[in-house]
């Protein structure tokens, strides 16, 4: 794992590419207020801690190669300059305000999500595609998951029962 505060407030590190087959955790505040500009998440990473990359305006690119990522912590990417982030199927939890004040233009939420914190896109103009019909969000989703996001939310079509009638 990359431990808590491991590279926090580091100014000499700019690019991190993780090709490790054993790295499973990026700890809380691991790259908090660092000056990295890009980061590649390896295939085996299962969790990204709270504030892991927060308050790093130099960070413009994060590539998610993980097929194992299950959890993104509270405020993980808050106040970064990332413009995109691919959320893998299998991701179960996104913590509150995880993508607050980023520059993400569009994002698609996976159907595997079971818990989503408050205001995950707070302060953004992110267009979000949700794999559930409006009003059919799973238990565990905060009712204010999308508050203060000025983007457009596109929901999947409502469930259809046999015979073509909406459920």
């Amino acid at each position: 794992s990359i431990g808590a505060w491991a590279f926090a407030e580091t100014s000499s590190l700019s690019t991190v590419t993780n090709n490790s087959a054993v790295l499973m955790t990026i700890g809380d505040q691991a790259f908090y207020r660092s000056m990295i500009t890009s980061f590649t998440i390896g295939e085996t990473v299962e969790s990204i801690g709270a504030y892991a990359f927060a308050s790093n305006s130099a960070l413009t690119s994060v590539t998610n190669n993980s097929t194992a990522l299950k959890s993104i912590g509270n405020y993980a990417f808050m106040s970064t300059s990332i413009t995109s982030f691919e959320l893998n199927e299998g991701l179960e939890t996104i913590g509150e305000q995880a993508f607050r004040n980023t520059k993400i233009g569009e994002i698609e939420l996976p159907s595997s999500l079971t818990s989503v914190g408050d205001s995950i896109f707070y302060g953004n103009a992110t267009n979000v595609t949700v794999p559930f019909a409006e009003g059919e969000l799973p238990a565990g989703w905060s009712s204010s998951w999308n508050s203060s996001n000025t983007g457009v939310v596109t929901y999947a079509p409502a469930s259809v029962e046999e015979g073509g009638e909406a459920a």
Side-chain angles (χ1 to χ4, degrees), residues 4 11 16 29-31 42 46 54 64 103 127 132 137 153 159 162:
S11 60
V16 178
Q29 294 101 359
F31 294 93
E46 294 178 354
N64 180 14
K103 298 182 185 313
N127 294 328
F132 311 106
L137 297 176
V153 178
S159 301
E162 211 170 303

Side-chain angles (χ1 to χ4, degrees), residues 29-42:
Q29 294 101 359
F31 294 93
Y32 177 78
R33 291 183 59 187
S34 68
M35 295 304 293
I36 63 170
T37 58
S38 65
F39 190 91
T40 300
I41 299 169

Side-chain angles (χ1 to χ4, degrees), residues 72-78 87 91 93-102 104 107 109-110 113 115-124 126 128 130 141-142 144-149:
I72 297 173
N74 296 342
Y75 309 96
F77 294 97
M78 176 186 76
L87 300 171
L91 180 67
T93 303
I94 299 176
E96 66 182 62
Q97 299 188 34
F99 296 99
R100 175 184 180 153
N101 296 332
T102 63
I104 294 175
I107 198 163
L109 302 181
L113 281 173
S115 176
V116 177
D118 287 341
S119 307
I120 60 175
F121 300 111
Y122 185 93
N124 295 356
T126 304
V128 183
V130 181
W141 279 52
S142 163
S144 62
W145 71 273
N146 199 45
S147 69
S148 297
N149 176 19

Side-chain angles (χ1 to χ4, degrees), residues 39-109:
F39 190 91
T40 300
I41 299 169
E43 294 177 10
T44 58
V45 172
E46 294 178 354
S47 67
I48 297 172
Y51 296 91
F53 297 92
S55 298
N56 180 0
S57 61
L59 183 60
T60 58
S61 173
V62 176
T63 303
N64 180 14
N65 290 333
S66 179
T67 55
L69 186 62
K70 298 205 177 308
S71 174
I72 297 173
N74 296 342
Y75 309 96
F77 294 97
M78 176 186 76
S79 298
T80 63
S81 297
I82 61 173
T83 57
S84 65
F85 192 92
E86 185 154 343
L87 300 171
N88 57 293
E89 195 59 47
L91 180 67
E92 297 172 354
T93 303
I94 299 176
E96 66 182 62
Q97 299 188 34
F99 296 99
R100 175 184 180 153
N101 296 332
T102 63
K103 298 182 185 313
I104 294 175
E106 293 186 35
I107 198 163
E108 185 171 339
L109 302 181

